[in-house]
Amino acid sequence: MNRRVVITGLGVVAPNGVGLDAFTIAIRNGISGIKKDPELQRLQFSCQISGKPEISNEDSLKYFTELELRNFNSSGILYGVVAGMDAWKDAGLSVGITDEPDWDSGTIFGTGTSGIDKFRESIYKIDDLQTRRLGSTAVAQTMNSGVSAYIGGKLGLGNQVTTNSSACTTGAESILMSYERIKSGQAKRMLAGSTSDSGPYIWGGFDAMRVCTFKHNDTPEQASRPMSVSASGFVPGSGAGALVLEDLETALARGARIYAEVLGGNINSGGQRGLGTMTAPNPTAVKKCIKSAVENAGIEANAIDAINGHLTATSKDSLEIQNWSEALSRKGIDFPYINSLKSMVGHCLSAAGSIETVAAVLQLHQGFVFPNINCEDLHPDISSVIDASKIPKKLIETELNIIAKASFGFGDVNGCVILKKYTS
């Protein structure tokens, strides 16, 4: 079996826009969602800003019952359920209650951690002799598969329902795992995505590692500076992205709108060998991942019109550009357009790949390249490899045919997805 796989639904909970319409307006106009974070300031973090989605209790009640929200304290599950259910509805699929599970549909919805604030809240109230008082909702909110379990139950999914976890590569991995399941004929439809919790217990370790910027606490919107010579570290962020992947035949049969086609991709690891470590990528593995993704997609490297990069606003941005250039054998003016959503939302960690893929799909579907903000002072190690015009500072309206989306994560793991504008 060799089925074509298309994207028929999108959902997003991002720091600069909750919901597809708000998010689209934000990325087209270079609107930042990074703000001063009073909690990080109170706790005397070096980095006192963050990219955090805003979902009111009123909006939460559109997805959860009042009973479900009682003692609920897992932002990652909240974000994931909102993005996932929005994507499902966007695909024109029913969320009605039925007695029979939907055997043809499943979800692979990833996360880095789950319910850490819930654990902290529960444990803070008790001592070791009172552990049975953790509460009846603690398990569902803190198990790693909590987000996929909630989504699976709300949508009645009867196919594979699981959660993957590969640091910043989680979102790309969930998409490719879902793609393979549909392509092999084991499912007709999969909800792919990933989410990340908010808050100091998620971000504290990164602040301690000194990889987060501390130079823009009073100018948050200028803080995330991918590919800039003045980049000083990433801004912690959170949220969720979701995509409905579907067998083309099934999508056409029900008259679904098709955003894009997934041509293929690749996942690999540098094995923390050579220059690869727990926190640094092995360049050989990154280039191999990109080359293998292109080969798996059945395209030539020169067919790629744009790249949605990982590009975190750290010292590794120049290395990523160099890796792309060598892997594609393209440089200067021949290099594809490249952009980084992190300039507007910060680094959403395990949710980054899925939120950024939603942005990549929107670019394909609507024909634009969103701007890189805060990149007026392009790093010389980057400008020496690719032409500055390929790193747009303003919105470009142009037809795109193929976009490569890559994510590179802690643990020296890599993922690259190749997306194509749908044509029959």
Side-chain angles (χ1 to χ4, degrees):
M1 296 181 181
N2 193 17
R3 293 172 165 82
R4 289 174 69 181
V5 180
V6 294
I7 297 169
T8 57
L10 299 172
V12 65
V13 173
N16 65 343
V18 175
L20 213 51
D21 291 342
F23 181 67
T24 303
I25 291 169
I27 66 172
R28 288 180 68 98
N29 292 282
I31 297 172
S32 174
I34 297 169
K35 300 177 181 178
K36 191 79 173 179
D37 193 314
E39 182 69 357
L40 301 187
Q41 185 176 19
R42 182 183 72 83
L43 295 172
Q44 299 183 329
F45 274 46
S46 296
C47 178
Q48 298 176 4
I49 57 178
S50 66
K52 188 161 57 176
E54 296 179 358
I55 300 178
S56 67
N57 187 65
E58 182 181 358
D59 286 335
S60 298
L61 285 168
K62 297 174 184 176
Y63 303 86
F64 294 85
T65 65
E66 288 189 10
L67 182 60
E68 287 175 322
L69 288 177
R70 191 177 301 165
N71 297 320
F72 187 89
N73 190 22
S74 176
S75 56
I77 290 176
L78 173 64
Y79 299 154
V81 168
V82 171
M85 292 185 70
D86 280 359
W88 199 255
K89 293 173 185 175
D90 184 55
L93 297 165
S94 173
V95 190
I97 302 298
T98 59
D99 291 334
E100 189 79 1
D102 180 354
W103 305 115
D104 295 323
S105 303
T107 185
I108 300 175
F109 215 99
T111 187
T113 57
S114 184
I116 193 167
D117 279 331
K118 181 62 180 177
F119 247 139
R120 188 258 178 198
E121 174 195 72
S122 299
I123 294 171
Y124 184 78
K125 294 177 180 178
I126 63 175
D127 60 33
D128 289 346
L129 296 177
Q130 298 173 304
T131 50
R132 289 192 66 199
R133 292 179 57 196
L134 279 170
S136 60
T137 63
V139 174
Q141 291 184 59
T142 58
M143 64 185 187
N144 281 349
S145 59
V147 63
S148 60
Y150 269 94
I151 290 171
K154 288 185 174 295
L155 299 180
L157 304 179
N159 207 280
Q160 182 180 17
V161 172
T162 192
T163 293
N164 66 305
S165 186
S166 293
C168 311
T169 309
T170 300
E173 183 182 73
S174 71
I175 293 165
L176 287 172
M177 291 170 72
S178 297
Y179 163 80
E180 291 292 346
R181 188 160 184 85
I182 297 168
K183 189 177 179 183
S184 66
Q186 296 183 79
K188 290 183 179 179
R189 187 180 300 107
M190 295 293 292
L191 178 63
S194 61
T195 187
S196 181
D197 284 311
S198 295
Y201 284 89
I202 298 295
W203 300 329
F206 296 106
D207 199 70
M209 291 169 67
R210 301 183 183 277
V211 294
C212 297
T213 182
F214 59 88
K215 295 184 177 181
H216 299 274
N217 288 336
D218 296 322
T219 53
E221 293 183 355
Q222 299 172 26
S224 187
R225 311 182 66 81
M227 297 182 283
S228 164
V229 71
S230 56
S232 55
F234 73 76
V235 176
S238 57
L243 306 92
V244 175
L245 273 60
E246 196 162 353
D247 176 282
L248 175 60
E249 185 178 339
T250 303
L252 291 175
R254 66 182 189 86
R257 171 192 47 210
I258 297 174
Y259 283 105
E261 182 172 1
V262 182
L263 293 184
N266 185 248
I267 302 167
N268 77 358
S269 171
Q272 299 179 44
R273 298 296 188 269
L275 296 177
T277 66
M278 178 63 76
T279 58
N282 178 340
T284 302
V286 170
K287 288 179 279 191
K288 183 176 176 59
C289 180
I290 296 167
K291 289 179 180 178
S292 297
V294 169
E295 182 180 353
N296 179 260
I299 63 169
E300 299 295 327
N302 60 11
I304 295 173
D305 300 307
I307 297 166
N308 188 272
H310 189 59
L311 298 167
T312 58
T314 64
S315 60
K316 300 300 180 184
D317 286 2
S318 301
L319 176 60
E320 181 177 335
I321 296 295
Q322 185 66 40
N323 288 335
W324 278 109
S325 179
E326 292 180 14
L328 300 178
S329 297
R330 297 175 66 179
K331 60 182 180 179
I333 197 69
D334 180 52
F335 196 82
Y337 289 116
I338 187 165
N339 52 17
S340 172
L341 186 67
K342 292 181 180 71
S343 64
M344 298 182 227
V345 301
H347 192 346
C348 297
L349 305 175
S350 54
S354 56
I355 294 174
E356 291 163 11
T357 301
V358 170
V361 171
L362 288 170
Q363 290 181 108
L364 271 180
H365 185 63
Q366 297 185 9
F368 69 92
V369 182
F370 67 75
N372 295 280
I373 66 172
N374 304 323
C375 193
E376 303 81 13
D377 54 339
L378 188 60
H379 198 291
D381 289 347
I382 293 176
S383 58
S384 66
V385 176
I386 63 178
D387 192 86
S389 66
K390 295 299 181 174
I391 305 172
K393 316 300 187 299
K394 296 182 178 180
L395 175 73
I396 295 176
E397 303 271 7
T398 183
E399 287 297 309
L400 301 169
N401 188 44
I402 295 178
I403 289 183
K405 169 67 200 126
S407 297
F408 311 115
F410 269 25
D412 198 9
V413 291
N414 311 301
C416 183
V417 185
I418 308 295
L419 304 163
K420 182 180 183 295
K421 187 178 181 69
Y422 171 70
T423 53
S424 58

